[in-house]
Amino acid sequence: MKNIEEKRQDGSYAGARNSHVAFPLGGIGAGMFCLEGTGAMTHFSLRNAPDVTHEPMMFSALCVKSESGNLARVLEGPVPSWKIFSHRSDRFVGPGNGLFGKHYGLPRFKEAAFSSRFPFGTVELRDPQIPVDVSITGWSPFIPLNADDSSLPTAGLEFTFSNATDRTVELVYSFHAANFLAADGSGNHRIVRSDSGRGFRLEQPPIENRGWEQGAFSAVTDDPGAKADCAWFRGGWFDPLTMIWNDIAAGHCQEKAPVAEGKPGPGASLFVPVALLPNERKTVRLMLSWWVPETNLTVGVPSPAASSQEKVDGKGRAVLEFHKPWYAGRFAGASDVADYWLQHYDRMRKESRDFTDSFYGTSMPAELVHAIAANLSILKSPTVLRQTDGRFWGWEGSEDTRGSCHGTCTHVWNYAQALPHLFPELERGVRTTEFTEGQDERGHQNFRIPLPIQPADHDFHAASDGQLGGIMKAYREWRIGGNTEWLRNLWPKIKSSLDYCIEEWDPKKEGVLSEPHHNTYDIEFWGPDGMCSSIYVGALKAASLMAQALGEADPYGSLYLRGRHYLDHVLFNGEYYEQHIVWEGLRTPSPTSGEQAWNVNYSTEAIELLKGQGPKYQYGMGCLSDGVIGAWLAEMCGLGDILNRDNVRSHLLSVYKYNLKRDLSDHVNPQRPGFAIGDEGGLLLCTWPKGGQLALPFVYSNEVWTGIEYQVASHLLSVGCAEEGLDIVRICRDRYDGRTRNPFDEYECGHWYARAMASYGLIQGWSGTRYDAIDRTLYLSPRSVEDYGSFLCTSGGYGIAGMRGGKPFVDVKAGKIEIDQVRVI
């Protein structure tokens, strides 16, 4: 039984719960490293790709000067035992080789605790022998509606020293970094003094035919007493670290010029003297930035037309051969980034803090706040990229050394609700990409966009849930952004997409998807189901409303009503929506032939199974957690009810009743059990409470995905089932408590999995607050009679909105929110 301390969900982590904390720092699509809960710097992924096990020789240290003998410590807590006895990769040499190249053997603080208020993470260090208390605050700019400043390749570490004694204390703070950017065999890497502030820059100049190995890492401070040592001792074995520690322990504060002869220096140090009067505190600000302007990254299959001639994107612009990060088009070099960071540090810190104060300054339950904030870290992770034209592109997640599942996959990113509200121009760009580079003249969408962004090939299934969800989200972006011209320009593509879906999957125009349709479970559902058909119904309603607003003919409204009736009266079984498996009498041939068999492998015994149960990988009479996702998307997009609300509530309560498990010890999961296992709890993707479980149901049915847990929880909140929604969130976050998993890395098929940003939907689900920029209307749907305040971000500004003294209120904290009317519903 977990004790109360271990179950805290308030953003604080100590003791055993601080062993796996790693808090991402960096900009949107700009690379990252993590501040661990101990104070260590790890997960260095600066080369426009994940490098999760990369932990270079880099640390801060403190020397307390004393006539009776100096005391020196690395500014980190104890090394977690899993790191000492791990052997994850060649970058993390395991115990069999003695952890060569690590600084783990240096003295460090006895205790470390971590707390977060995104985008700020703070480490508290304590040691009975050290006469000062130490805190480390790591952050990088995160400013809603300012995508560019939020996409900088920068991070700040602020070291605050507090003297609680009655005597003056003299300290020397120092930062040390090996040149981890040095390319193998290059010989031309170097250390230089920084052009900005006081500090150094690690550099790897361009290498012929290996331009992607170029890079720079800058470490500077604005403290006038700082000194930079750009000439580490050059030697073998453990010489450099031994000599560094000698300097630290002696309390040296020295300036050394870069080496001018022989082999390049292996690293550099920064020293800052600090004198503290009794009860005084001072902060040293370490400003880190990086510059990796080229990559050899390209992924996905472009269209044959784009491959056979000069490549152009959907607007006729030339496409680069390889991905190039946004910041490389904004800044001329590493010095320019460091200059901008130094000059605008205070402003961007204040604007990031303004967001933090607003986001955490509501009455939303703490477990919801921290579930949302933890997954905003995904936008700082290598899961996301921005190319030089500013457009956003994402993997599904991040493997240890490469992205996982490319192309801003439409059916995975369906769930992510953070970007469209916090950075709506980036999300509009994703919609534009889907309907231009991602779509051909038939209306078929490739649900994976190549990188660099360019027209995609169309040799594989369209994804029914992703393509139809994109139509709903186009409606959402229009209502959030308030730009009808944007919608008008995209409307022909939207119609083409929906017409393709109708012809491909609903040729009889019944309002449901009957022909086999690909989806996020990486298989095809045969016959109408609540999951994909609810998205179809939502897309039809969205298209109907968009057509009417644009003064166009509306061929979709009647089909929407037909589909709604079918789901509510045929697929709803009195308790939840199910699937009716159909594989005969369709336009599509048998599932054992042709492209339909691409990942199904119909052996002789599987064909026998087909005769009795139908195609492999269906859910039939199952209670699917995702079973009314279209109704959830409609709620998130401002479309209102698309199905009978009582039926939807019944479905969600059935999911809560049957699929939520508090202990999985007896659960059979032959699939991927690492998401939730043993005595942990979680929301199963599907169960069969009414019988009819298939021998081979869809391939992930026994698993637990956080993105779906949040989708169901926020949907439950939105239909008035608050305790059930909160319960799911608590059980989910119990697994990410810092003991065995990183609280800031919810994974599925890779770290920092995009689907987990469904957690942002908890805001709207809990508060019932939504702003419509077209109508300039604030909608409030209070979930209780009590007053409340909720975070609200619109395309013009953000703040806190809700009910106060029984009356609506909006406190705008940044920008402007133009409201003509408030509707309490």
Side-chain angles (χ1 to χ4, degrees), residues 119-384:
F120 300 88
T122 299
V123 180
E124 300 285 347
L125 297 174
R126 298 289 181 269
D127 190 308
Q129 291 186 283
I130 302 298
V132 294
D133 292 335
V134 180
S135 69
I136 309 167
T137 295
W139 73 285
S140 46
F142 193 88
I143 306 166
L145 311 179
N146 185 341
D148 289 353
D149 278 350
S150 301
S151 300
L152 296 172
T154 60
L157 294 177
E158 299 175 353
F159 296 82
T160 299
F161 307 101
S162 302
N163 180 9
T165 72
D166 58 1
R167 65 186 187 278
T168 298
V169 178
E170 290 191 17
L171 316 169
V172 176
Y173 162 81
S174 55
F175 173 71
H176 312 272
N179 191 351
F180 64 97
L181 292 171
D184 291 341
S186 67
N188 67 338
H189 57 87
R190 64 195 180 199
I191 314 292
V192 299
R193 283 195 176 97
S194 175
D195 304 316
S196 305
R198 293 176 178 269
F200 60 83
R201 188 166 64 249
L202 313 175
E203 290 190 344
Q204 173 58 68
I207 302 173
E208 186 176 0
N209 298 322
R210 290 157 59 190
W212 59 89
E213 301 226 43
Q214 174 187 357
F217 182 83
S218 175
V220 304
T221 181
D222 56 358
D223 192 295
K227 298 183 183 299
D229 175 355
C230 299
W232 273 11
F233 187 91
R234 291 172 289 176
W237 291 97
F238 314 107
D239 295 355
L241 185 56
T242 300
M243 297 299 283
I244 289 166
W245 188 254
N246 290 342
D247 288 336
I248 293 170
H252 289 164
C253 185
Q254 57 200 17
E255 185 88 21
K256 287 185 182 179
V259 296
E261 48 72 32
K263 292 183 178 180
S269 299
L270 181 64
F271 297 91
V272 181
V274 179
L276 291 176
L277 297 174
N279 300 310
E280 187 180 14
R281 60 185 297 176
K282 289 185 179 179
T283 298
V284 175
R285 306 196 301 188
L286 182 65
M287 304 173 191
L288 305 173
S289 59
W290 52 92
W291 171 259
V292 184
E294 303 294 339
T295 80
N296 61 346
L297 177 60
T298 179
V299 64
V301 180
S303 71
S307 300
S308 62
Q309 56 190 352
E310 181 184 4
K311 292 185 178 182
V312 295
D313 65 13
K315 293 187 177 181
R317 298 168 294 198
V319 174
L320 295 172
E321 182 179 4
F322 299 111
H323 171 67
K324 191 177 181 72
W326 167 82
Y327 64 75
R330 166 74 181 274
F331 299 99
S335 293
D336 290 345
V337 176
D339 282 343
Y340 188 85
W341 186 214
L342 185 64
Q343 293 169 16
H344 296 274
Y345 186 97
D346 289 333
R347 172 185 62 80
M348 291 190 289
R349 192 187 195 286
K350 179 186 181 303
E351 291 176 359
S352 297
R353 179 62 71 184
D354 288 344
F355 160 68
T356 300
D357 291 344
S358 296
F359 184 78
Y360 288 86
T362 75
S363 58
M364 177 175 275
E367 54 265 60
L368 301 186
V369 172
H370 290 285
I372 298 162
N375 287 301
L376 292 181
S377 294
I378 295 166
L379 294 177
K380 293 183 173 294
S381 78
T383 293
V384 304

Side-chain angles (χ1 to χ4, degrees), residues 364-440:
M364 177 175 275
E367 54 265 60
L368 301 186
V369 172
H370 290 285
I372 298 162
N375 287 301
L376 292 181
S377 294
I378 295 166
L379 294 177
K380 293 183 173 294
S381 78
T383 293
V384 304
L385 298 171
R386 280 186 78 192
Q387 60 181 32
T388 48
D389 62 4
R391 287 200 284 174
F392 182 96
W393 185 96
W395 302 94
E396 292 183 23
S398 297
E399 296 181 13
D400 280 0
T401 57
R402 62 183 180 181
S404 173
C405 305
H406 74 276
T408 330
C409 176
T410 57
H411 51 61
V412 169
W413 282 84
N414 254 353
Y415 295 75
Q417 299 297 320
L419 197 69
H421 293 279
L422 297 172
F423 302 101
E425 73 275 22
L426 297 183
E427 187 74 28
R428 283 195 300 273
V430 175
R431 292 289 81 68
T432 301
T433 297
E434 286 173 2
F435 287 103
T436 52
E437 284 90 351
Q439 186 167 309
D440 66 9

